[in-house]
C-alpha cells in the first residue's frame, strides 16, 4: 500500500514526540519549575498575618506571667535586682539554640529571645545598668547584647564609677571591659576587684568592628585620628598602610573621639557603627581592625553570686604568702590540675601591699558550688594566703 505524505509526516512527528519524552533537557526542567504553580502572594500574606497574630498573643501572655512573677517577688520583699536570674536566661537562650532548625541564624534567634526576656522583665521594673560611657561606646553595645534594650542604661565616665554606682545600689548591675582578643587585659578593671566587694555575674563576648568615620567625604581631608588607645592599637596595621603620616590622638573613649570628629574640622574617629549614628558621621572605611575575629570580653558586675546554669565559669583572686618563693604559683595551681579543672585564663597584678608581691586572677570552667570544682577550691583555699571567689556565672552564650 502506498503511504501518503500525511501518514509519513504523522509517524515522523510521533517519533519526535517519543524522543522528547525520554528525558527533558535542563533548560526545559528550569522552565517547568518556573511555570509550576505557587501560592498567591495574597494568600501568603494572609498566612503571615495569622502567624503574627498568634505571636502577638503569645508575647502578651508571656508578659502577663512575668507581671505575676514580679508581684510574687514584691510580696516577698525582693528588690529589682533580685528579679534578674542570669542562670535562667542563659538556659533559655541555650535551649533556643538547640531547637533552632533555621532559616534564622542562631545569632538572630538569641537576639530575638533576649529582647523578649528584656521586655518581659521590664514589666516588673526596668533594670538599671551602669556602663563605661558615654553613649555610642562598645560597652553600650555589650549592655544591649546581654540585657536587651528594655533597661535603663546609665553611661559613666570611668570604670571606677561603674563599680561605685553598683556598690552604692544606684545601679542594679554594671558592664565593664576586661580583655580584648588582640590587645589583652584591661588592667584597671582587674585592679578594681582588689578592694571591691562586688561579684562577677556574667560575661559578654562582643565582636568588635572598628570603622573610620568623620564629617569629611574622603581620606584626603583627614588631619588627625582620635580613638581610645585600645582601638588605635587594634587598627595599627591598617593605619600604618593607609594613613601612615596622620596624627593619632588617644582619647578616653571612642564616643569622645566621635564627638570630636563631629565638632572639629579635619578630625576623624575610629569607633563602632553606633557612634556614627549618634554623632551623625560618615563611615569613611568600614571594618579596619587588623584581626578578623577581633573580640572584646566584658564582665557583668553585681552585688551577689548566682546559682549554676549548667555551663559556667568561675573567676578567682588568689595569692601565696611569698610569690617570689620557688614553686609558689605551682602550689596554687596543683589543686586545679589534681581535680581535672580547666583553666582558661590567668593574670598577675601587683598586690599593692609591698613591692614585687603579686596576686593572681584565674578563670576556670565550672561553678564554685558544684563538684569537682567545689573540691578543688576547698584545697586551693588551704594553700592560699588570699582566696576569693569573685564570681561563678554563665559562660557567654554567643
Amino acid at each position: 500500500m502506498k503511504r501518503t505524505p500525511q501518514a509519513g509526516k504523522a509517524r515522523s512527528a510521533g517519533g519526535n514526540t517519543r524522543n522528547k519524552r525520554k528525558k527533558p533537557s535542563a533548560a526545559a526542567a528550569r522552565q517547568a519549575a518556573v511555570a509550576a504553580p505557587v501560592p498567591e502572594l495574597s494568600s501568603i500574606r494572609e498566612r503571615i498575618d495569622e502567624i503574627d497574630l498568634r505571636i502577638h498573643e503569645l508575647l502578651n501572655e508571656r508578659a502577663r506571667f512575668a507581671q505575676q512573677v514580679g508581684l510574687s517577688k514584691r510580696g516577698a520583699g525582693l528588690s529589682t535586682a533580685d528579679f534578674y536570674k542570669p542562670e535562667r536566661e542563659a538556659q533559655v537562650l541555650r535551649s533556643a539554640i538547640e531547637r533552632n532548625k533555621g532559616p534564622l541564624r542562631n545569632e538572630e534567634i538569641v537576639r530575638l529571645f533576649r529582647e523578649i526576656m528584656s521586655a518581659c522583665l521590664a514589666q516588673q521594673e526596668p533594670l538599671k545598668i551602669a556602663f563605661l560611657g558615654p553613649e555610642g561606646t562598645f560597652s553600650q553595645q555589650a549592655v544591649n547584647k546581654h540585657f536587651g534594650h528594655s533597661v535603663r542604661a546609665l553611661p559613666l565616665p570611668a570604670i571606677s564609677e561603674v563599680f561605685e554606682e553598683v556598690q552604692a545600689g544606684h545601679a542594679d548591675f554594671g558592664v565593664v571591659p576586661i580583655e580584648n582578643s588582640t590587645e589583652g587585659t584591661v588592667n584597671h578593671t582587674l585592679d578594681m576587684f582588689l578592694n571591691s566587694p562586688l561579684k562577677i555575674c556574667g560575661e559578654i563576648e562582643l565582636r568588635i568592628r572598628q570603622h573610620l568615620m568623620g564629617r569629611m567625604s574622603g581620606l584626603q581631608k583627614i588631619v588627625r585620628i582620635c580613638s581610645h588607645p585600645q582601638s588605635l592599637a587594634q587598627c595599627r596595621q591598617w593605619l600604618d598602610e593607609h594613613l601612615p603620616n596622620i596624627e593619632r590622638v588617644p582619647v578616653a573613649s571612642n564616643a569622645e573621639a566621635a564627638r570630636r570628629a563631629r565638632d572639629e574640622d579635619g578630625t576623624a574617629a575610629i569607633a563602632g557603627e553606633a557612634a556614627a549614628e549618634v554623632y551623625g558621621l560618615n563611615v569613611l572605611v568600614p571594618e579596619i581592625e587588623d584581626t578578623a575575629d577581633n573580640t572584646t570580653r566584658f564582665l557583668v558586675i553585681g552585688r551577689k553570686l548566682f546559682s549554676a546554669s549548667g555551663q559556667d565559669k568561675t573567676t578567682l583572686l588568689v595569692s601565696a604568702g611569698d610569690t617570689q618563693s620557688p614553686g609558689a604559683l605551682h602550689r596554687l595551681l596543683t589543686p586545679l590540675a589534681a581535680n581535672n579543672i580547666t583553666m582558661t585564663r590567668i593574670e598577675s597584678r601587683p598586690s599593692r601591699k609591698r613591692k614585687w608581691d603579686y596576686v593572681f586572677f584565674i578563670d576556670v570552667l565550672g561553678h564554685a558550688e558544684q563538684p569537682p570544682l567545689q573540691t578543688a577550691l576547698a584545697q586551693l583555699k588551704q594553700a592560699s594566703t588570699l582566696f576569693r571567689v569573685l564570681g561563678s556565672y554563665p559562660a557567654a552564650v554567643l
Side-chain angles (χ1 to χ4, degrees):
M1 184 176 72
K2 186 178 178 180
R3 289 184 295 175
T4 64
Q6 289 81 2
K9 288 181 180 178
R11 280 193 295 271
S12 176
N16 289 340
T17 301
R18 285 192 296 271
N19 290 338
K20 288 181 181 178
R21 287 175 181 171
K22 287 181 181 179
K23 187 177 180 181
S25 66
R30 286 194 295 270
Q31 290 176 355
V34 171
V38 296
E40 290 287 340
L41 185 58
S42 60
S43 66
I44 294 175
R45 287 172 174 165
E46 288 175 3
R47 181 63 177 144
I48 290 175
D49 289 343
E50 293 172 2
I51 294 171
D52 287 346
L53 178 61
R54 297 211 319 266
I55 292 174
H56 198 165
E57 290 172 346
L58 290 172
L59 287 174
N60 280 326
E61 183 178 358
R62 192 188 196 283
R64 283 190 289 270
F65 276 111
Q67 288 176 332
Q68 293 178 22
V69 171
L71 292 173
S72 175
K73 291 180 178 178
R74 286 292 185 199
L78 299 177
S79 66
T80 305
D82 294 316
F83 297 169
Y84 175 65
K85 297 294 182 185
E87 70 278 24
R88 166 66 178 159
E89 291 199 357
Q91 291 166 352
V92 170
L93 295 177
R94 290 172 190 147
S95 296
I97 291 174
E98 289 174 3
R99 64 173 177 262
N100 184 34
K101 305 299 182 184
L104 292 178
R105 297 179 296 113
N106 286 341
E107 291 81 1
E108 294 163 335
I109 289 293
V110 167
R111 185 171 66 251
L112 289 170
F113 272 87
R114 172 64 71 193
E115 292 298 338
I116 290 171
M117 291 188 291
S118 178
C120 288
L121 185 61
Q123 294 299 307
Q124 301 165 27
E125 185 173 342
L127 290 172
K128 297 184 289 293
I129 311 298
F131 68 95
L132 179 61
E135 288 186 285
T137 61
F138 289 115
S139 293
Q140 185 177 25
Q141 292 183 36
V143 170
N144 294 336
K145 179 178 181 180
H146 190 78
F147 289 97
H149 288 74
S150 298
V151 298
R152 289 181 54 197
L154 310 174
L156 297 169
I159 290 174
S160 59
E161 292 191 34
V162 176
F163 275 78
E164 291 166 4
E165 289 296 289
V166 176
Q167 186 173 339
H170 300 150
D172 298 310
F173 298 95
V175 171
V176 290
I178 185 64
E179 62 176 327
N180 177 264
S181 59
T182 58
E183 290 303 310
T185 301
V186 181
N187 289 327
H188 190 190
T189 299
L190 282 184
D191 291 342
M192 288 301 303
F193 284 109
L194 292 175
N195 298 309
S196 173
L198 295 181
K199 306 296 183 184
I200 302 172
C201 307
E203 68 169 0
I204 309 156
E205 291 187 1
L206 185 69
R207 170 71 171 85
I208 302 297
R209 292 176 170 85
Q210 304 278 13
H211 306 315
L212 182 67
M213 59 189 67
R215 285 190 291 126
M216 64 283 296
S217 58
L219 303 186
Q220 66 278 5
K221 294 186 178 181
I222 297 176
V223 177
R224 69 192 67 83
I225 297 174
C226 295
S227 194
H228 188 277
Q230 281 263 350
S231 294
L232 289 172
Q234 292 167 25
C235 304
R236 185 183 297 113
Q237 293 177 20
W238 190 94
L239 293 172
D240 288 345
E241 180 179 352
H242 296 91
L243 298 170
N245 300 317
I246 299 299
E247 180 186 10
R248 302 172 195 178
V249 182
V251 294
S253 70
N254 289 342
E256 170 64 15
R259 185 195 63 77
R260 288 188 58 173
R262 180 196 63 189
D263 297 341
E264 298 175 1
D265 292 336
T267 296
I270 297 175
E273 187 175 4
E277 295 173 359
V278 170
Y279 295 95
L281 301 175
N282 302 317
V283 174
L284 305 175
V285 185
E287 300 187 20
I288 65 170
E289 63 274 8
D290 297 328
T291 305
D293 61 350
N294 184 29
T295 301
T296 294
R297 179 173 173 242
F298 297 82
L299 296 180
V300 180
I301 56 174
R303 294 183 289 275
K304 68 175 186 178
L305 296 173
F306 289 90
S307 303
S309 72
Q311 297 181 38
D312 301 287
K313 284 184 180 179
T314 294
T315 298
L316 309 170
L317 172 59
V318 298
S319 187
D322 182 2
T323 54
Q324 296 190 62
S325 64
L329 181 57
H330 180 271
R331 289 193 297 274
L332 292 175
L333 299 181
T334 295
L336 301 178
N339 288 277
N340 295 316
I341 302 301
T342 299
M343 182 177 67
T344 60
R345 180 169 171 270
I346 183 169
E347 296 280 349
S348 64
R349 293 294 297 158
S351 69
R352 300 184 177 179
K353 293 183 177 179
R354 57 182 182 274
K355 66 179 182 180
W356 318 130
D357 185 58
Y358 294 90
V359 298
F360 301 97
F361 293 86
I362 302 174
D363 288 350
V364 296
L365 298 185
H367 195 279
E369 297 178 351
Q370 292 186 328
L373 183 56
Q374 186 180 43
T375 302
L377 296 187
Q379 298 171 4
L380 176 56
K381 185 175 183 178
Q382 293 181 345
S384 307
T385 56
L386 170 65
F387 176 87
R388 284 174 55 198
V389 175
L390 297 181
S392 278
Y393 47 90
V397 175
L398 280 177

